[in-house]
Amino acid sequence: MSAFPKTTHLMARGAAFLGSEHAILCGAMSWVSERNLVAAISNAGGFGVIACGAMTPELLDAEIAGTKALTGKPFGVNLITMHPQLFDLIEVCAKHGVGHVVLAGGIPPKGSVEAIKAFGAKVIVFAPTLALAKKLLRSGGDALVIEGMEAGGHIGPVATSVLAQEFLPALAEEHLVFVAGGIGRGEAIAGYLEMGAAGVQLGTRFACATESIAHPAFKQAFFRANARDAVASVQVDPRLPVIPVRALKNKGTEEFTAKQREVAQLLDDGQVEMGEAQLRIEHYWAGALRRAVIDGDVENGSLMAGQSVGMVSKEEPVADIIAELLAESETALSRR
């Protein structure tokens, strides 16, 4: 019998879909959501997701193999839809028999969903509007993540609480919808589950787990921060539609503004096409994030964090984080 019967009952559909004990996904955080953290989350009963980001197919191949060596539990792979080698990355997932592929960063290109489903994997999609969500689910998406602007990393313009009220009544009965963005405690999880969510996704809360390879200086920056320190990037040029990114304010935030100006100028001069311009921005983020997460350069690197960062106060094992979230959720549901 579950120690968290009410929460487990409400998460049952999501957990069955993921093949995990609890319907708690870890958001894909580049450089952070690698084999160690992913395996730890899956081993603790959650669902880890490898952040492929800008990885080459060879690197993803090694990362999946490395994760499999650390866990026998299910985990997923997050692929960025604008990656120039997307279909090669899908082939790597097929080779390893990955059970769930998350497509993020834009509308999946033609044939990508079919290529994933061809080897038997489930497809998890993101959608910023209800109309697009319905379209993606009709087009083969098996589950949906709605992510509010409180989240870390790439964000949309609408708050999680608003998205949940809009999407869940319309979709939750017939489809699996996971809620993400700004979730730091179990009480919030309980609320979204009661509204019909199949489960939740958290990133920031797991970024500083004991098993996370993030540099100690990166983790310390999180421990010092509060919600207001996690700010969204500013779009410099409307002709260069850069998806805003939420991160802790530092020199790197200012450098990104300068980078946008530089790329916008190249676009104006006809030296790059729009697709290439956006890829350059993505590569900038990958490099800036690596400087912070791996090298510990918290001044110039990118400290991607959600507004729930104020609830991250210490380094603790993944299993303890999940247990605490479940206990908080169960207590909240028991008061109803």
Side-chain angles (χ1 to χ4, degrees), residues 187-240:
E187 292 89 347
I189 294 173
Y192 292 128
L193 291 174
E194 283 189 316
M195 290 173 72
V200 293
Q201 176 181 291
L202 294 83
T204 302
R205 192 66 208 277
F206 289 122
C208 297
T210 308
E211 297 89 345
S212 163
I213 63 159
H215 194 281
F218 180 90
K219 293 182 180 182
Q220 283 299 324
F222 271 49
F223 302 152
R224 287 193 301 269
N226 61 44
R228 293 185 184 195
D229 296 323
V231 298
S233 59
V234 177
Q235 183 174 299
V236 169
D237 191 325
R239 291 164 302 169
L240 186 60

Side-chain angles (χ1 to χ4, degrees), residues 29 57-58 72 84 98 149 203 266:
M29 302 171 281
E58 293 75 24
V98 169
M149 52 88 72
L266 292 172

Side-chain angles (χ1 to χ4, degrees), residues 108-336:
K110 191 176 180 182
S112 57
V113 171
E114 292 81 356
I116 294 164
K117 294 180 86 76
F119 65 89
K122 302 290 187 189
V123 178
I124 302 173
V125 293
F126 282 79
T129 67
L130 186 54
L132 182 58
K134 288 177 177 177
K135 182 176 185 292
L136 291 176
L137 290 166
R138 279 198 306 271
S139 304
D142 296 294
L144 172 75
V145 177
I146 55 172
E147 184 173 67
M149 52 88 72
E150 302 95 319
H154 292 83
I155 56 169
V158 182
T160 306
S161 59
V162 176
L163 290 177
Q165 292 174 79
E166 188 183 354
F167 283 65
L168 292 173
L171 299 175
E173 211 167 295
E174 293 179 30
H175 301 283
L176 293 154
V177 183
F178 296 89
V179 176
I183 300 173
R185 289 183 58 90
E187 292 89 347
I189 294 173
Y192 292 128
L193 291 174
E194 283 189 316
M195 290 173 72
V200 293
Q201 176 181 291
L202 294 83
T204 302
R205 192 66 208 277
F206 289 122
C208 297
T210 308
E211 297 89 345
S212 163
I213 63 159
H215 194 281
F218 180 90
K219 293 182 180 182
Q220 283 299 324
F222 271 49
F223 302 152
R224 287 193 301 269
N226 61 44
R228 293 185 184 195
D229 296 323
V231 298
S233 59
V234 177
Q235 183 174 299
V236 169
D237 191 325
R239 291 164 302 169
L240 186 60
V242 176
I243 299 170
V245 168
R246 187 175 299 285
L248 300 181
K249 192 167 176 58
N250 65 356
K251 281 185 195 167
T253 316
E254 295 159 23
E255 284 169 18
F256 174 58
T257 303
K259 183 67 180 178
Q260 283 187 81
R261 287 201 186 96
E262 176 195 316
V263 174
Q265 189 61 53
L266 292 172
L267 200 58
D268 282 348
D269 296 345
Q271 292 185 42
V272 294
E273 296 290 321
M274 180 59 78
E276 170 64 20
Q278 288 179 304
L279 272 175
R280 287 198 182 196
I281 296 291
E282 284 304 307
H283 283 144
Y284 168 84
W285 276 124
L289 194 56
R290 188 188 194 286
R291 285 200 297 279
V293 175
I294 305 298
D295 303 335
D297 183 355
V298 296
E299 283 301 312
N300 303 296
S302 174
L303 295 161
M304 289 191 191
Q307 290 181 324
S308 61
V309 69
M311 298 173 224
V312 180
S313 57
K314 62 185 178 183
E315 189 176 58
E316 53 190 328
V318 161
D320 290 359
I321 295 171
I322 291 177
E324 183 178 43
L325 292 169
L326 291 167
E328 290 166 349
S329 171
E330 195 66 19
T331 300
L333 292 170
S334 297
R335 289 200 198 105
R336 307 293 205 251

Side-chain angles (χ1 to χ4, degrees), residues 56-62 64 87-98 119:
T56 61
E58 293 75 24
L59 283 173
L60 179 63
D61 185 36
I64 296 172
F87 286 87
D88 295 331
L89 296 168
I90 290 171
E91 277 187 31
V92 171
C93 292
K95 170 189 162 185
H96 286 281
V98 169
F119 65 89

Side-chain angles (χ1 to χ4, degrees), residues 25 49 77-80 100-104 122 124-126 145:
L25 293 100
V49 179
V77 174
N78 179 296
L79 302 179
I80 305 298
H100 299 72
V101 175
V102 182
L103 291 175
K122 302 290 187 189
I124 302 173
V125 293
F126 282 79
V145 177

